[in-house]
Amino acid sequence: MHVNRREFLRRSICAALGGASLHGALGNLRLISAAAAARRYAFPDYKALVCVYLYGGNDSFNTIVPCDATHYGIYQGTRQALAIAQGDLQQNVLNALPAQGGLPGGLPSDGATYGMHPSMGQVAGGNAGLRGLFNSGKAAIVANVGSLLYPISQQQYQNGTVPTPAQLYSHDDQTNQWQTSRPDDANANGWGGRIADMLYSSNAGELPMSITLSGENRFQRAASVNQFAVDSYGAAFAAAGEDEDGDPVDFFQVQGMSFRGDGPESWVVGNDPGRAAAYDALRASGTQAHVLERAFADTANRAIANAALLNAAMTGTRLVTRFPDTDLGNQLAAVALMIKVRAALGMSRQVFFVSVGNYDTHGTQLADQAGNLEQLSQALAAFHAATVEMGVADGVTAFTASDFGRSLAVNSDGTDHGWGGHHFVVGGAVRGQRFYGTMPSLAQYQDDQPSSNPDDTGYGQIIPTLAVDQYSATLARWFGVDAGGIADLFPNLGRFGVADLGFMA
């Protein structure tokens, strides 16, 4: 296996230190990353990537659905009792633009007219949702994306002549592969984390480039840049300065450390001076004999310092845009608040991670997915409106990701684990109101006639025609990663026909 200079440096440094978890203990985060990246980045503008992860595997074939007579009939014949009513789809039609100037993207490749799930349009008391964003040119649909080692056809899949990613249809494995964009390396860091390792030098501030509103995740795992976790509870009301009844609210802040009396478990630990003193002794700089003790102290001290930085910058920060008081609404409200204070924090590039669950719809899918998609749609539309309010819409891009798509075949009142699926990209720099990639057939697969649906594995799952690598690399290029960096981040990208899908300006 060929190892380039950058990879050799990274591996040598990691081996010398005994692993990435010890980097912080030795206080060499920036030195190590500089050696590994072999260059420094500087940008004159601000950009943020926001990964919106849908845990469980969203059924995108009931999210973006054909509504013209011919294609709806095929869809309805396959989905049967799970089919969305044609009239509801037609009321939420997507007005896609044709291809322009030889650029990628345009009308759906299959010639169908598509509508969006009715929960993703205008909602009473809410906003126009993702349908409104798409039809106004601020959102794009990237079709049939999935984890791939190589391009693969139905015949190749069924004959086993082309390798496929390990443990297809497994939640954990496919989540790791989506979040790392390395289906050939189970130990790979996340592609968001690898970008942060590469570009961290562009930020003048001390706050980590990677911030998660949904706990530790693989997407932001890195060799050097630690992900910083923030609790988003109360962010939607705090951003507005009042709750739904108009009562003043100002309680959103980054939570501190329980042993210091200001963390989430302080009610258990208590603000006991003796315990606080013992904890402070554990994290006192330069007093630990063991490397793991130093690692703990360094991590704790940086977390405390980061919380203080964020709280000082965000105190009193407000937005006119109202966010829904939902799990995702609060997470994206917190992201918006942090973006608003980007200058005070010295941020030029930021990578955010938010997520919601309940997308594993083996049963009661019609009811569950309606609630899921309304939450997603309303929160993303509010978030984009906030970026417009702040004047940074062209510099902020949110995108969806999920374990996998769902099966076309129905499973009682739900669907099974799938493979390829459609995704949304939202932002002012998105070449929106267009479909990218190839829309798959939604016809029911016939065992004695594989050509009945050439996109089906033979078991109801749709074979992806775009790789996660292509999707991720397109976003990374827009974010500021140069051609050499793209090659390092996504070493398998050359296996696929198009490196940049063209959905970003």
Side-chain angles (χ1 to χ4, degrees):
M1 179 180 68
H2 173 69
V3 178
N4 60 30
R5 177 174 178 269
R6 182 177 299 175
E7 181 68 5
F8 173 77
L9 284 170
R10 185 187 70 79
R11 293 186 181 184
S12 298
I13 292 168
C14 288
L17 293 179
S21 63
L22 304 188
H23 291 186
L26 302 182
N28 288 326
L29 289 173
R30 293 187 179 272
L31 177 62
I32 291 163
S33 193
R39 64 162 295 177
R40 292 186 67 83
Y41 281 79
F43 300 107
D45 57 0
Y46 173 83
K47 287 185 178 180
L49 277 175
V50 184
C51 177
V52 182
Y53 200 87
L54 313 177
Y55 280 106
N58 179 43
D59 181 9
S60 59
F61 306 125
N62 260 24
T63 303
I64 302 156
V65 187
C67 58
D68 62 281
T70 300
H71 293 89
Y72 181 82
I74 296 170
Y75 156 80
Q76 186 181 43
T78 301
R79 276 300 170 90
Q80 302 174 26
L82 282 187
I84 307 296
Q86 186 178 16
D88 290 341
L89 296 167
Q90 290 172 336
Q91 290 179 14
N92 290 278
V93 70
L94 296 173
N95 302 317
L97 296 176
Q100 184 180 35
L103 295 172
L107 300 173
S109 61
D110 57 359
T113 298
Y114 280 82
M116 202 171 280
H117 190 287
S119 294
M120 305 183 81
Q122 181 70 51
V123 173
N127 55 50
L130 266 170
R131 176 183 176 245
L133 289 179
F134 182 90
N135 285 344
S136 62
K138 303 306 178 186
I141 292 168
V142 187
N144 199 17
V145 188
S147 179
L148 289 170
L149 288 171
Y150 298 89
I152 186 170
S153 68
Q154 180 190 75
Q155 184 177 20
Q156 290 168 330
Y157 175 82
Q158 292 180 346
N159 293 339
T161 55
V162 171
T164 58
Q167 303 299 322
L168 279 179
Y169 323 127
S170 153
H171 287 293
D172 288 346
D173 294 278
Q174 293 300 291
T175 293
N176 284 345
Q177 291 168 24
W178 260 94
Q179 294 189 15
T180 65
S181 200
R182 288 297 306 271
D184 58 339
D185 185 354
N187 297 313
N189 287 326
W191 68 265
R194 300 199 302 272
I195 287 177
D197 278 343
M198 185 173 289
L199 302 187
Y200 79 87
S201 62
S202 65
N203 287 341
E206 293 300 317
L207 195 70
M209 182 179 289
S210 296
I211 297 181
T212 171
L213 285 300
S214 191
E216 190 275 336
N217 61 86
R218 189 66 171 268
F219 172 69
Q220 292 177 317
R221 196 181 81 175
S224 301
V225 178
N226 292 333
Q227 52 190 282
F228 181 57
V230 175
D231 187 344
S232 62
Y233 177 76
F237 291 151
E242 62 182 20
D243 63 17
E244 70 270 31
D245 298 320
D247 295 326
V249 173
D250 189 18
F251 54 79
F252 173 68
Q253 63 175 354
V254 181
Q255 292 186 338
M257 307 295 288
S258 294
F259 274 102
R260 302 178 74 238
D262 57 356
E265 303 302 325
S266 295
W267 63 278
V268 175
V269 176
N271 191 13
D272 181 87
R275 288 176 171 175
Y279 179 78
D280 288 341
L282 286 174
R283 65 183 186 86
S285 180
T287 63
Q288 296 81 16
H290 195 282
V291 65
L292 292 179
E293 293 176 331
R294 295 197 297 274
F296 170 82
D298 180 75
T299 300
N301 287 329
R302 281 186 287 111
I304 292 168
N306 289 336
L309 279 173
L310 268 179
N311 284 333
M314 290 196 299
T315 298
T317 303
R318 298 284 184 267
L319 290 166
V320 174
T321 302
R322 298 301 294 256
F323 281 82
D325 182 28
T326 60
D327 186 3
L328 190 58
N330 278 292
Q331 291 180 59
L332 287 173
V335 171
L337 288 170
M338 285 184 276
I339 289 174
K340 188 166 185 178
V341 298
R342 64 196 179 280
L345 294 170
M347 295 289 105
S348 174
R349 290 293 187 271
Q350 289 185 282
V351 178
F352 295 97
F353 181 85
V354 301
S355 74
V356 282
N358 198 39
Y359 278 85
D360 192 19
T361 50
H362 289 281
T364 63
Q365 176 172 303
L366 288 176
D368 290 347
Q369 194 183 32
N372 293 342
L373 294 181
E374 180 177 327
Q375 178 180 187
L376 172 68
S377 176
Q378 290 292 297
L380 274 175
F383 179 69
H384 178 71
T387 66
V388 172
E389 175 190 332
M390 294 184 287
V392 294
D394 289 349
V396 179
T397 299
F399 62 95
T400 61
S402 194
D403 312 11
F404 34 61
R406 309 294 298 182
S407 64
L408 272 184
V410 298
N411 175 23
S412 182
D413 59 346
T415 51
D416 211 336
H417 299 178
W419 193 358
H422 311 319
H423 288 278
F424 297 102
V425 186
V426 174
V430 175
R431 295 186 61 247
Q433 211 169 346
R434 295 176 174 88
F435 287 72
Y436 295 83
T438 303
M439 300 299 286
S441 170
L442 301 183
Q444 191 166 21
Y445 181 83
Q446 306 294 329
D447 289 337
D448 59 348
Q449 190 180 357
S451 62
S452 57
N453 187 336
D455 300 311
D456 197 304
T457 62
Y459 304 96
Q461 296 90 3
I462 292 298
I463 300 169
T465 44
L466 291 177
V468 175
D469 304 58
Q470 296 168 284
Y471 185 60
S472 308
T474 303
L475 291 162
R477 190 271 309 165
W478 168 82
F479 197 57
V481 179
D482 61 22
I486 293 290
D488 286 344
L489 289 171
F490 308 105
N492 300 328
L493 185 60
R495 299 173 179 175
F496 305 97
V498 179
D500 190 326
L501 299 178
F503 55 78
M504 299 301 299

